[in-house]
Amino acid sequence: MAATAAPDAISPAFLTRARLIASEHSKLSEQLSGEYDVKLAQKVGELSATARVLSDWESATKSLVELQQMLSNSSTDPEIRSIAAEELITETKHAELLSTQLKRSLVPVHPFAHMPCLIEIRPGVGGSEAALFAGDLLRMYQTHCQEHNFRVSFLKLDNGDATGNGSEIREAVLEVEGDGAYGILRCESGVHRVQRVPATESKGRTHTSAVSVVVLPNFPSTGNDGTGENSFDDPSSDYYIDKRDVRTDVMRARGAGGQHVNTTDSAIRLTHMPTNTVVAIQDSRSQMKNREKAWRLLRAKIAQARRDAREEEMAQLRLSLVGVAKAGRGDKIRTYNWSQQRVTDHRSGLTLYDLDGVLQGGDALDHIMNSVRNWFTEQDLEALIADDNLATAAKQTRSKIEAASG
């Protein structure tokens, strides 16, 4: 039997990438041992997973080669051959697992993953039924966040129809405080579809309604000092907004809400004119607090839009050159079917017949969200492969041009 590479072999481009990361990890670790630096320690921590898994994968691959050579050697003792055959099965499975872990460790961490987040919920098509389902999702996310020890508060809440029925949600923005909340919840962005018989339906017909959920990174009130990706003052930062591009309208609060409604100019509406992004806040009696909330929400929307635009540009470039693109977030992502007690996520393909468990925000919802995060990782891996193919194609093109001109 000839020696072969580990099962589920990693492409040379991935191995090169992993070894460069491991080399950088080694150099930075040596530098850190001489003098401690917070940013340097954070960088070492980010690289450590790839360096560790690469070392384990290389050891497992070496063991596989040695076992295969032992089995292919006719002079090997039969008893030792039998033991080696058993070890080969175990080591092959171990190598496959390490191969998957190594590839996943190469996926860059989302730049907003460590942040707290905002969850914006808006009913779409379906009228009052969509507004009722928006309330169901709101309660689901509140419970889920509490289960994960995230503190939840309302940045904005517009509930109640003309009759004052508070079970209908026109718009809600939840503020979720806790490190890594965005990384956990960003998989919920998209259109959630519900199929059920409304309480007002006399003929028992199933109606289809939809609710839009947008998960945004929540930035602090002020950016980091100086320049950089976290600065509110650096024009190259995703968080930067030129205040000259924003129109501020001050108005009286409207709707149900207490004595201050229609009596004080406390409501704030901000319009980012280059993108026509509008946010309006009237939850507080204080104009200053409403202004601060509005700016946080506007900054989150603009930063997310800028990142989405870059990802879409790269996806289209990959699609045109190598046929790989990410699925858009505008399509429906999940269906909740009441009559079948079924929840289906259309990205990961997972279906659970535990609708009540999902809406209670516990383990069932976690199960679905984990499947989507795994799907995200697979998509990111495909994108990495596409990028490597893209770089290879560009290199070959340059070589051909240089050969032709030479």
Side-chain angles (χ1 to χ4, degrees):
M1 182 185 297
T4 59
D8 193 21
I10 301 174
S11 70
F14 273 20
L15 274 179
T16 299
R17 190 190 295 261
R19 283 167 178 155
L20 286 173
I21 291 174
S23 176
E24 183 180 6
H25 175 267
S26 177
K27 292 177 182 177
L28 293 180
S29 297
E30 185 176 345
Q31 185 178 340
L32 188 63
S33 64
E35 182 179 356
Y36 184 79
D37 178 82
V38 174
K39 290 185 177 180
L40 190 61
Q42 183 179 359
K43 183 66 174 178
V44 169
E46 292 172 355
L47 302 177
S48 62
T50 299
R52 174 181 53 78
V53 178
L54 175 64
S55 176
D56 292 345
W57 180 85
E58 288 178 333
S59 296
T61 303
K62 182 179 178 181
S63 296
L64 276 179
V65 171
E66 291 173 351
L67 288 169
Q68 290 165 339
Q69 288 176 340
M70 190 180 300
L71 289 170
S72 64
N73 190 339
S74 58
S75 63
T76 302
D77 182 81
E79 186 175 349
I80 294 178
R81 182 188 296 274
S82 177
I83 296 173
E86 292 179 1
E87 289 185 359
L88 181 65
I89 295 173
T90 302
E91 199 64 32
T92 297
K93 292 179 179 179
H94 185 217
E96 288 175 346
L97 177 61
L98 290 172
S99 177
T100 300
Q101 290 178 352
L102 181 57
K103 286 187 285 188
R104 291 192 172 188
S105 76
L106 294 173
V107 175
V109 176
H110 194 287
F112 301 153
H114 64 287
M115 291 184 173
C117 70
L118 305 174
I119 306 176
E120 182 183 74
I121 303 172
R122 290 173 178 265
V125 295
S128 61
E129 177 62 20
L132 287 169
F133 183 54
D136 293 333
L137 292 182
L138 173 62
R139 289 182 287 276
M140 179 182 78
Y141 290 129
Q142 286 178 300
T143 304
H144 183 267
C145 290
Q146 290 166 1
E147 291 283 335
H148 285 266
N149 297 318
F150 292 145
R151 192 167 69 178
V152 181
S153 58
F154 284 107
L155 188 68
K156 181 176 184 178
L157 178 62
D158 185 359
N159 64 344
D161 55 19
T163 64
N165 181 3
S167 60
E168 295 186 8
I169 300 296
R170 293 174 181 168
E171 181 183 6
V173 181
L174 276 178
E175 183 175 11
V176 183
E177 298 181 52
D179 291 342
Y182 180 82
I184 291 174
L185 290 161
R186 73 184 184 99
C187 60
E188 294 301 289
S189 283
V191 177
H192 295 242
R193 184 177 68 172
V194 58
Q195 297 170 329
R196 65 184 175 186
V197 179
T200 55
E201 172 55 56
S202 59
K203 297 182 179 180
R205 292 173 299 190
T206 298
H207 290 216
T208 298
S209 307
V211 171
S212 169
V213 175
V214 179
V215 181
L216 302 165
N218 189 16
F219 307 112
S221 299
T222 57
N224 292 347
D225 295 336
T227 60
E229 63 175 15
N230 295 328
S231 174
F232 290 176
D233 302 318
D234 183 359
S236 64
S237 166
D238 281 339
Y239 314 155
Y240 174 79
I241 296 178
D242 190 337
K243 293 186 177 181
R244 293 172 297 183
D245 291 337
V246 179
R247 186 178 72 242
T248 303
D249 297 311
V250 180
M251 62 198 82
R252 293 191 174 184
R254 295 174 295 177
Q259 294 180 353
H260 75 291
V261 173
N262 294 320
T263 61
T264 59
D265 292 333
S266 58
I268 295 291
R269 181 173 64 204
L270 301 179
T271 304
H272 185 246
M273 293 179 287
T275 61
N276 199 31
T277 302
V278 180
V279 299
I281 298 291
Q282 65 173 36
D283 291 47
S284 172
R285 296 189 181 195
S286 166
Q287 183 189 117
M288 182 180 299
K289 288 183 178 179
N290 285 335
R291 187 186 299 271
E292 179 185 336
K293 288 182 177 181
W295 267 102
R296 285 167 60 193
L297 184 54
L298 179 65
R299 206 177 296 280
K301 285 178 174 286
I302 295 300
Q304 185 70 59
R306 286 169 176 162
R307 175 157 184 86
D308 288 347
R310 287 200 302 274
E311 289 185 350
E312 178 63 23
E313 183 179 356
M314 284 304 299
Q316 291 303 318
L317 180 59
R318 294 185 190 110
L319 182 63
S320 64
L321 293 172
V322 291
V324 177
K326 281 191 174 183
R329 60 172 72 221
D331 299 327
K332 68 176 183 293
I333 62 165
R334 194 174 297 154
T335 295
Y336 305 73
N337 186 291
W338 247 250
S339 64
Q340 300 175 9
Q341 285 291 293
R342 171 177 60 84
V343 180
T344 298
D345 194 279
H346 303 292
R347 297 159 298 177
S348 66
L350 178 66
T351 292
L352 292 183
Y353 290 91
D354 186 13
L355 176 63
D356 292 340
V358 172
L359 290 177
Q360 287 168 5
D363 292 342
L365 179 59
D366 270 327
H367 186 27
I368 291 179
M369 291 170 65
N370 284 333
S371 76
V372 178
R373 284 192 285 269
N374 289 335
W375 179 83
F376 277 163
T377 300
E378 294 300 324
Q379 295 292 301
D380 288 338
L381 281 172
E382 287 188 16
L384 280 177
I385 294 171
D387 287 342
D388 287 332
N389 291 340
L390 194 60
T392 300
K395 184 177 180 180
Q396 291 174 346
T397 301
R398 285 196 301 269
S399 298
K400 290 180 181 178
I401 293 174
E402 291 171 0
S405 61

